[in-house]
């Protein structure tokens, strides 16, 4: 008695499956726009506050 299994050809995905997988992969690969925008605003705000403190120390040293 032989328990060997014959290999089968890989199943071809139809267009709907390929489109669904591509859409999910695209969503997972990108940072959501709201988070990226918020991070940019925080980055700019921190630099503006840092520049203000730098100006205060510069003017206070005069």
């Amino acid at each position: 008695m032989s328990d060997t299994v014959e290999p089968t050809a890989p199943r071809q995905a139809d267009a709907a499956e390929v489109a669904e997988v591509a859409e999910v992969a695209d969503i997972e690969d990108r940072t959501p726009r709201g988070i990226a925008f918020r991070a940019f605003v925080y980055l700019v705000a921190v630099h503006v506050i840092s520049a203000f403190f730098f100006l205060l120390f510069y003017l206070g040293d005069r």
Side-chain angles (χ1 to χ4, degrees):
M1 206 170 5
S2 177
D3 289 335
T4 60
V5 177
E6 293 296 322
T8 59
R11 182 178 67 86
Q12 295 295 323
D14 62 354
E17 288 177 332
V18 171
E20 182 181 342
V21 169
E23 181 179 335
V24 170
D26 187 40
I27 290 172
E28 291 178 356
D29 286 344
R30 295 190 48 193
T31 303
R33 191 179 308 263
I35 294 174
F37 178 73
R38 191 177 315 143
F40 177 74
V41 169
Y42 289 161
L43 186 71
V44 170
V46 166
H47 280 85
V48 167
I49 292 169
S50 298
F52 177 69
F53 285 142
F54 179 80
L55 180 65
L56 286 179
F57 281 105
Y58 177 75
L59 294 176
D61 191 37
R62 290 175 109 195

